[in-house]
Amino acid sequence: MVFLQTLVNALQWGSFYALIALGYSMVYSILMLFNFAHGDIFMVGAYIGFGVSSALLALTATGSLALPGWLILVLTIIFSMFLTSFVGIIVERVGYRPLREAPRASAAITGLMIGIILETGNLALLGAERVAFPSLIATTTYHLGGVIVTNKKIMIVLVSISLAFALHQFIRRTRYGMAMRAMAFDYAVVPLMGVPLNRMASLTFAIGSALAAAAGILFGVAYPVLDPYMGILIGWKAFVAAILGGRGSVVGATLAGFLLGFIEMFVPMVFPSTFRDFIAYSIVLLILVFRPHGFFGEAYSARLRL
Amino acid sequence: MKTKLFTVAIISCFVVALLFVACGPKGPETIKIGINAPLTGDIPKVGEGTKFAAQMWLEDVNAAGGIEVGGKKYKVELVVEDNESKAESAVKANVKLITEDEVLAIVGPQSSKQAVPAGGKANELGTPMVSPWSTNPTTTKDRPFVFRGCFLDPFQGPVIAKFAKKEFGFTKAAVLYDVASDYPKGLAEFFKAAWEDLNGPGSVVAYESFTTKDADFSAQLTKINNSGAEFLFTPQYYNEVALIVQQAHQLGWDKPIVGSDSWGSAETVKLCGKDCYGLFFSTHYAAAGAKGATKEFIDRYKAKHGYVPDDVGALTWDAMRIVQMAIEGAGELTGDIKKDRKSVRDALATIKDFDGITGGMTFTEDGDPVKCAVIVRISDAGEFEFYQSVCP
């Protein structure tokens, strides 16, 4: 019973890592870039979701729109993914494009700086007070033979898996997906074949940021206390998941995200919770020692610019 | 060459300006008091309460013409520094207040995480500091210059243990706390010791922890759910309280959850909602049903800022008045800031039967007041209701 309950908890927790890791993984494989601002884009997505849902709730309250809670949630996710993808595009345009020929280390610290700007910008804009993410759907609890599941948990896991699946299909089946795969294969040559590099970079950032926004809103549904620094720790850990999954692998990043969730949830079941992250990330380190390219990653080659 | 000259000119301007400042008139015209508060970071509401209460006090004092010391009235100035709710920033803020702003005394920081290291700095630099809200013993221990305005965790821990035992008749407790923060960690330990004193070893059936910034507690709560505990004690700050209580309920926990004075923020109910109704916590004062000077303070604060002040606001108010009393009792101000700080400290140590809005206080040798605790119940309207009072 405890095992199954922990499994359910881990599925929810892993969903966030998986969604955020996808963004890291895409940018990394296509543009050879660690976008360290990604955790903060997740935070921005959560706040945009907060803004959109509050606005929709206000409209419903004044009677100009009659929307049920679940529809507001769906609209919030769609609008926020759309809006946050522009944040991603701007970040790429302002922060990374001018540095495309610069040493990779400069681009990496740009990410850190953009992250700090997003955090403190939010702090300046909205103040340091925590905001409570509105509860859009009522929590229903199901008891399935001793395992307790809420409707929110089911929704979070389903939405994350479907988004990951959709991205996978996009990359496998569309022309843009093919261009992305080609760029991941050889960053330098593909633009010579007529693939517009700038448009691909914008698209990559847009998709990654939209997924981060979805993660941010789902996070707000599950943990309805938002603060400007909420993206840092989860961003780092999702970055670990992206590396663990293997460079550029959608399946890998998703599975590694869930794996990280499982490790973090099951470790405290066996060991004292004080040592959770210590043991969890020692396990991750051990995995990387034996599989330095992650689960689904190709072996590094001379092509890699890092 | 031109730019070099320019740089030299600018630097010499600064040097000259500094010289002038250093040779300013002797003897202070105003008294500066430093406020070291978490205006941003994890607990900004605490910082806001601190600032508002201190400013209210300042209005009162300056309306009366300032603080009178040795027959002379001095205007008062507040220097407010943000410690970002971080230990290292709190130390930095204290150093700045003491060395750059030359404050006479410091009020703050509030939570033990910042007050413990910042208190060490204040003591080292010989500046009296009063932390209104820090309940961890280390803050004032062996630091003659550091005082506090509240009771201590070695007192609060047993208060909660006794309350749960007497009120519910429980024998098995679970604890969930942040292992990376001084206050929850200390209080969890004191509670555990007191509970095992009352119910025998092994009566804390789950003793689980997490680290600051964690948002998911389902692993710990699943363990607690299966431990057979009859109630959960969680001495966390308001942002975590909301998450812990909601997740516990979503995992099927329907037993009582008890908290400590860190729950007593105006934000707790706002973030937590109905999930927190009916829960108990120990604190310094209860706003609902207050009388006399306490009520007067609450009404004024509410009229000005639109919400009922939490315990931090009330304790800060008391701390400001304690500092005022000490400055008034310092005899005279010589203008030699080191000497003046020492005489303020000596006056602080001798304060007896101070009549504060959070209760009477007399300081012990360690700089800790002897005062009562209050158990508050969060009512079904989300208000903090007085439930019972526990005195040492």
Side-chain angles (χ1 to χ4, degrees):
Chain A
M1 262 333 86
V2 180
F3 176 79
L4 285 178
Q5 182 68 57
T6 309
L7 198 70
V8 171
N9 298 343
L11 274 173
Q12 169 177 314
W13 191 230
S15 302
F16 301 114
Y17 287 149
L19 279 180
I20 303 169
L22 283 173
Y24 271 118
S25 191
M26 279 179 66
V27 171
Y28 176 41
S29 67
I30 294 164
L31 300 169
M32 297 296 160
L33 187 77
F34 293 117
N35 174 19
F36 282 120
H38 196 59
D40 297 296
I41 291 180
F42 157 81
M43 176 274 292
V44 171
Y47 271 86
I48 289 179
F50 165 76
V52 172
S53 56
S54 304
L56 287 173
L57 277 178
L59 283 178
T60 310
T62 53
S64 40
L65 270 176
L67 302 173
W70 65 268
L71 190 58
I72 295 184
L73 182 62
V74 172
L75 290 175
T76 303
I77 293 180
I78 294 170
F79 279 133
S80 313
M81 283 176 78
F82 186 69
L83 291 172
T84 313
S85 64
F86 283 102
V87 176
I89 291 171
I90 293 169
V91 164
E92 194 272 333
R93 186 71 191 80
V94 174
Y96 292 114
R97 196 173 293 180
L99 285 142
R100 199 168 284 153
E101 298 311 318
R104 293 293 89 182
S106 307
I109 58 163
T110 310
L112 293 177
M113 286 185 286
I114 290 173
I116 294 171
I117 290 168
L118 290 176
E119 288 152 20
T120 43
N122 182 347
L123 203 62
L125 204 67
L126 292 176
E129 238 172 71
R130 298 288 180 280
V131 299
F133 198 88
S135 156
L136 299 170
I137 46 174
T139 312
T140 320
T141 318
Y142 308 105
H143 294 257
L144 306 171
V147 178
I148 296 160
V149 189
T150 61
N151 53 346
K152 289 179 180 170
K153 275 196 176 131
I154 298 173
M155 183 203 74
I156 288 166
V157 176
L158 287 183
V159 171
S160 329
I161 292 178
S162 3
L163 284 174
F165 182 73
L167 178 67
H168 184 66
Q169 291 302 313
F170 175 79
I171 290 183
R172 289 281 145 214
R173 293 188 193 278
T174 64
R175 251 159 41 97
Y176 282 107
M178 187 158 74
M180 283 178 173
R181 274 182 292 145
M183 278 180 74
F185 195 73
D186 197 324
Y187 174 88
V189 168
V190 169
L192 301 178
M193 314 299 239
V195 175
L197 180 59
N198 286 341
R199 202 191 302 165
M200 294 315 293
S202 295
L203 184 67
T204 309
F205 267 81
I207 294 177
S209 306
L211 291 174
I217 293 159
L218 297 177
F219 193 89
V221 170
Y223 315 105
V225 179
L226 308 185
D227 81 278
Y229 300 103
M230 62 189 273
I232 300 176
L233 193 64
I234 199 168
W236 289 345
K237 289 179 171 177
F239 178 58
V240 171
I243 297 300
L244 196 61
R247 184 168 79 89
S249 170
V250 171
V251 180
T254 314
L255 288 183
F258 281 110
L259 178 74
L260 215 57
F262 284 122
I263 295 176
E264 272 194 31
M265 285 294 159
F266 277 100
V267 164
M269 289 297 136
V270 186
F271 302 98
S273 41
T274 313
F275 301 122
R276 188 191 68 190
D277 281 5
F278 174 75
I279 295 174
Y281 289 89
S282 301
I283 295 174
V284 172
L285 190 64
L286 212 64
I287 297 175
L288 281 175
V289 167
F290 288 103
R291 281 206 66 96
H293 310 130
F295 292 121
F296 292 84
E298 291 169 49
Y300 291 98
S301 70
R303 290 195 306 267
L304 205 62
R305 301 212 301 167
L306 263 168
Chain B
M1 198 61 212
K2 227 176 187 175
T3 44
K4 219 174 201 175
L5 261 178
F6 187 64
T7 319
V8 171
I10 286 191
I11 292 175
S12 27
C13 274
F14 269 114
V15 172
V16 171
L18 275 175
L19 277 175
F20 270 108
V21 172
C23 310
K26 274 229 152 205
E29 287 304 308
T30 57
I31 294 174
K32 281 188 186 171
I33 294 176
I35 307 287
N36 187 339
L39 299 176
T40 61
D42 285 333
I43 44 172
K45 200 75 187 173
V46 167
E48 186 184 279
T50 311
K51 199 172 89 184
F52 285 167
Q55 283 167 346
M56 265 173 66
W57 170 84
L58 183 72
E59 277 168 28
D60 278 15
V61 168
N62 280 344
I67 297 183
E68 194 176 327
V69 194
K72 188 174 172 219
K73 283 217 169 181
Y74 295 89
K75 282 271 178 203
V76 181
E77 226 179 274
L78 290 182
V79 186
V80 184
E81 280 293 315
D82 178 18
N83 62 35
E84 303 169 301
S85 190
K86 287 183 196 154
E88 62 277 11
S89 308
V91 173
K92 259 190 255 163
N94 258 11
V95 171
K96 177 182 175 285
L97 288 170
I98 294 168
T99 56
E100 272 179 53
D101 297 317
E102 304 212 307
V103 298
L104 187 56
I106 293 171
V107 170
Q110 299 290 8
S111 50
S112 300
K113 189 178 171 183
Q114 292 94 47
V116 170
K121 204 46 157 183
N123 191 55
E124 193 186 307
L125 298 175
T127 305
M129 175 183 124
V130 182
S131 171
W133 200 46
S134 165
T135 49
N136 192 303
T138 326
T139 309
T140 56
K141 200 163 188 314
D142 298 325
R143 292 171 176 172
F145 277 91
V146 185
F147 298 79
R148 77 176 89 216
C150 54
F151 53 68
L152 276 77
D153 291 335
F155 168 67
Q156 189 174 196
V159 161
I160 298 160
K162 271 182 216 147
F163 165 75
K165 176 92 187 155
K166 237 174 70 190
E167 186 71 24
F168 306 116
F170 291 156
T171 53
K172 281 186 251 166
V175 179
L176 177 61
Y177 68 100
D178 179 356
V179 73
S181 183
D182 281 343
Y183 164 82
K185 185 169 176 286
L187 189 49
E189 279 160 11
F190 291 120
F191 170 81
K192 185 168 185 258
W195 188 256
E196 292 187 333
D197 258 4
L198 287 174
N199 297 292
S203 54
V204 174
V205 289
Y207 193 63
E208 298 298 322
S209 67
F210 58 94
T211 45
T212 318
K213 295 280 178 203
D214 276 0
D216 188 287
F217 308 100
S218 52
Q220 292 90 331
L221 289 167
T222 304
K223 248 176 142 176
I224 287 168
N225 252 335
N226 289 302
S227 67
E230 291 164 305
F231 77 103
L232 167 64
F233 171 59
T234 183
Q236 287 312 128
Y237 295 106
Y238 58 78
N239 47 334
E240 289 134 353
V241 170
L243 294 174
I244 291 171
V245 171
Q246 287 177 353
Q247 283 174 40
H249 288 162
Q250 282 172 17
L251 285 166
W253 176 271
D254 50 6
K255 295 163 198 161
I257 301 174
V258 178
S260 55
D261 65 305
S262 53
W263 283 36
S265 163
E267 289 280 280
T268 306
V269 173
K270 203 180 120 200
L271 292 175
C272 183
K274 288 203 172 82
D275 280 286
C276 276
Y277 292 1
L279 303 184
F280 294 94
F281 63 90
S282 65
T283 186
H284 309 272
Y285 98 131
K291 291 185 203 71
T294 315
K295 188 173 183 321
E296 202 179 296
F297 168 76
I298 293 170
D299 290 346
R300 259 182 73 191
Y301 190 103
K302 197 175 172 203
K304 194 144 193 230
H305 303 297
Y307 64 95
V308 173
D310 38 33
D311 55 349
V312 175
L315 288 169
T316 306
W317 175 264
D318 274 354
M320 299 305 298
R321 287 190 47 232
I322 289 171
V323 168
Q324 179 184 359
M325 208 168 162
I327 295 174
E328 284 166 354
E332 58 161 351
L333 296 182
T334 56
D336 176 358
I337 192 84
K338 282 205 177 112
K339 226 162 144 190
D340 292 343
R341 283 171 180 160
K342 179 81 175 65
S343 43
V344 171
R345 183 224 96 76
D346 292 343
L348 258 171
T350 55
I351 288 178
K352 283 219 156 39
D353 298 323
F354 171 80
D355 185 24
I357 59 172
T358 59
M361 292 177 228
T362 299
F363 285 101
T364 66
E365 267 173 34
D366 282 331
D368 304 323
V370 179
K371 63 193 285 194
C372 303
V374 173
I375 301 283
V376 160
R377 180 180 178 275
I378 303 179
S379 75
D380 294 334
E383 280 178 336
F384 295 160
E385 268 178 1
F386 176 85
Y387 195 74
Q388 55 180 256
S389 172
V390 188
C391 289

